[in-house]
Amino acid sequence: MTKTALGTKIRELRDKKQYTLEKLADLTGSSKSYIWELENKAPPRPSAEKISKIAEQLGVTIEYLLDDQASITVENAADARFYRKYQQMDDKTKSKIRSFVDLWDEDDDG
Amino acid sequence: MTTDKMTPQKWAFQLTHILNAYATDQERFPVDVKALAKEFSHHKYPDDPITKVKGASLPRFDGGLFKAPGGRNEWGIIYNNSMRSKGRINYTLAHEFGHYLLHRRDYPDGIECGEQDMVRWDSAYGQIEHEANVFAANLLMPLDDYRKQIDPKTIIDLDMIGHCADRYEVSLMAAILRWIEYTERRAVLVVSRDGFILWARSSKAAFRTGIYFKTSNCPPIPIPKGALASGLITPESQRQGIKLPPNVWFEESCDEMVVFSELYDFTISVLQLENSTTRYFHKKQSET
């Protein structure tokens, strides 16, 4: 079970709109459990038609919803996962971590 | 020196033996992972030890194992110390120490773990993450000590689990999962979100009697309406939970306690069933 970037986005957008699962399901002609699966699991082939309806109801483009997924090739699942996690971190966190590595000797909890 | 034959459990046992021998009863728990990681790695792998452990506020990051700059053969653990639960921090440190012992040869540039990586405990989630979690659980919560805190035959309440979470400085979730591993009672941990089960784990005794939830490669399982996890009913005692009639979670009755985790946005249910019954076992068998 891996939560996808698509699922995270749908859930965040749905929360922002303060839609319940039922509400988004109704608006998009889907079942409640289908939306839940999209958000929390990784259904193998989300239907393009459904995704387009969901994008419309959440006020974003399909490209936005699908963006992250498209960039992941499946050459190595583990590497891809680390890469994705790293991408999701904000730049401040990344540079802070880098600086700790650079200042190896000066900077330690003891 | 070979590390490949060492399993997460074997590493944890080895360290547990050392700690049991050298630490006094008062200082034995929680495990001081920072000191242990540095001292043990210096002793065992003087050629590439852990020389740095550094915490800072690092949003959306849990922790990582890093290689020292400039080609030096040293390792460091950098972690997010702004996580709201102290237990999460200790677990993260143990998890990264596990990566060092188990995976540094395969990942010579280090390993970084993001938020959410480690709160997803199901074993399907990435082999190396799983191994680091197994190591962390075994190191921080040795079963011989845990059994002294909670007898394998005891019905638990949240105070008992809370006591263990404090003792080992781990999250409630980590403490419950560890207990589920060794309890002789029939019990199930169910983690849910928005009214459906994310994943679940049964004790051996529960599993043997057909009490489990399958959550991968099958449609989502809704939380029953009468269950505490539905958020629709409130128990008299949060700590002890509620006795639920038959046909809520299972055909038979069970006790349910819940913890709502706002931080991670999921609900943890602990379901406990009576221990006797072979009845349901036969029933399940005849269905298949």
Side-chain angles (χ1 to χ4, degrees):
Chain A
M1 174 186 79
T2 311
K3 204 160 114 177
T4 61
L6 169 68
T8 308
K9 281 183 200 166
I10 294 177
R11 191 158 195 272
E12 279 173 8
L13 291 165
R14 178 170 70 75
D15 275 353
K16 242 183 238 166
K17 291 229 169 211
Q18 299 193 324
Y19 287 170
T20 59
L21 277 179
E22 284 99 332
K23 169 100 183 185
L24 185 58
D26 282 351
L27 288 171
T28 56
S30 320
S31 70
K32 189 175 150 187
S33 66
Y34 182 80
I35 304 283
W36 187 88
E37 257 190 304
L38 276 182
E39 289 183 356
N40 295 286
K41 305 258 169 165
R45 252 169 230 266
S47 119
E49 193 204 334
K50 289 278 164 66
I51 298 291
S52 130
K53 278 185 184 163
I54 289 168
E56 192 190 327
Q57 290 300 331
L58 294 175
V60 294
T61 61
I62 306 174
E63 289 73 23
Y64 172 78
L65 280 187
L66 295 178
D67 186 23
D68 263 351
Q69 285 223 315
S71 65
I72 297 163
T73 52
V74 202
E75 80 288 83
N76 180 329
D79 286 350
R81 190 159 49 82
F82 292 131
Y83 180 61
R84 193 160 70 235
K85 283 292 164 199
Y86 195 71
Q87 271 191 322
Q88 280 173 10
M89 259 187 272
D90 62 49
D91 291 339
K92 243 192 195 160
T93 300
K94 275 188 235 179
S95 69
K96 218 165 165 183
I97 293 171
R98 281 271 76 85
S99 81
F100 290 144
V101 173
D102 292 341
L103 301 170
W104 196 266
D105 297 308
E106 284 114 80
D107 220 23
D108 189 50
D109 281 0
Chain B
M1 218 157 339
T2 56
T3 49
D4 359 9
K5 294 274 163 60
M6 286 294 280
T7 63
Q9 287 90 344
K10 280 186 189 164
W11 273 122
F13 292 156
Q14 194 177 109
L15 288 158
T16 295
H17 279 302
I18 294 171
L19 291 170
N20 283 346
Y22 292 105
T24 62
D25 281 356
Q26 287 90 339
E27 59 178 28
R28 177 65 180 88
F29 294 107
V31 174
D32 181 351
V33 180
K34 276 185 206 173
L36 180 67
K38 282 186 175 177
E39 284 169 27
F40 182 76
S41 65
H42 272 279
H43 186 76
K44 181 98 181 167
Y45 299 112
D47 292 341
D48 65 336
I50 294 174
T51 59
K52 179 190 179 77
V53 180
K54 170 74 186 171
S57 171
L58 299 165
R60 307 195 81 164
F61 180 73
D62 269 349
L65 177 70
F66 292 85
K67 197 72 192 285
R72 282 158 64 183
N73 265 337
E74 293 171 32
W75 296 86
I77 294 171
I78 295 172
Y79 66 98
N80 182 4
N81 66 9
S82 63
M83 290 189 278
R84 268 183 270 177
S85 130
K86 253 181 115 182
R88 280 289 303 289
I89 293 176
N90 206 32
Y91 205 91
T92 298
L93 292 172
H95 177 104
E96 302 306 336
F97 184 29
H99 278 319
Y100 166 83
L101 294 172
L102 295 156
H103 308 126
R104 71 182 186 283
R105 301 278 154 86
D106 295 331
Y107 294 85
D109 298 325
I111 296 167
E112 299 175 32
C113 306
E115 189 177 59
Q116 292 285 330
D117 269 12
M118 279 183 281
V119 289
R120 312 188 82 80
W121 300 77
D122 47 340
S123 54
Y125 189 73
Q127 186 60 17
I128 71 160
E129 291 303 296
H130 175 63
E131 286 177 359
N133 281 341
V134 170
F135 170 79
N138 279 275
L139 176 69
L140 299 176
M141 300 173 276
L143 285 187
D144 60 341
D145 187 80
Y146 210 139
R147 284 195 183 96
K148 283 181 212 152
Q149 310 304 315
I150 302 179
D151 185 272
K153 296 185 184 349
T154 302
I155 298 174
I156 59 154
D157 61 31
L158 288 180
D159 281 335
M160 295 161 79
I161 285 289
H163 156 77
C164 293
D166 289 346
R167 177 176 177 83
Y168 303 126
E169 211 174 285
V170 298
S171 64
L172 273 180
M173 172 86 98
I176 295 168
L177 264 176
R178 191 66 170 148
W179 167 76
I180 284 270
E181 273 180 47
Y182 77 84
T183 182
E184 290 167 20
R185 299 203 59 86
R186 295 196 301 150
V188 189
L189 165 71
V190 178
V191 181
S192 60
R193 169 182 291 153
D194 292 335
F196 292 90
I197 297 178
L198 282 169
W199 57 274
R201 182 80 52 85
S202 293
S203 69
K204 287 190 200 85
F207 191 81
R208 275 199 299 266
T209 53
I211 299 290
Y212 60 86
F213 297 101
K214 186 179 180 302
T215 53
S216 7
N217 307 318
C218 60
I221 305 169
I223 298 295
K225 287 235 162 37
L228 277 190
S230 71
L232 301 172
I233 42 175
T234 325
E236 273 176 40
S237 152
Q238 266 327 329
R239 284 283 149 191
Q240 292 187 325
I242 195 173
K243 177 117 204 141
L244 294 170
N247 298 315
V248 177
W249 279 104
F250 311 105
E251 283 175 33
E252 53 187 303
S253 64
C254 72
D255 290 333
E256 180 181 16
M257 303 181 291
V258 289
V259 183
F260 295 99
S261 169
E262 275 178 46
L263 185 51
Y264 300 113
D265 219 354
F266 50 55
T267 301
I268 301 170
S269 295
V270 178
L271 310 175
Q272 297 183 91
L273 298 94
E274 284 305 320
N275 244 10
S276 54
T277 177
T278 48
R279 194 155 49 102
Y280 296 95
F281 180 62
H282 291 309
K283 187 150 200 246
K284 278 280 166 195
Q285 269 203 330
S286 63
E287 281 170 4
T288 54

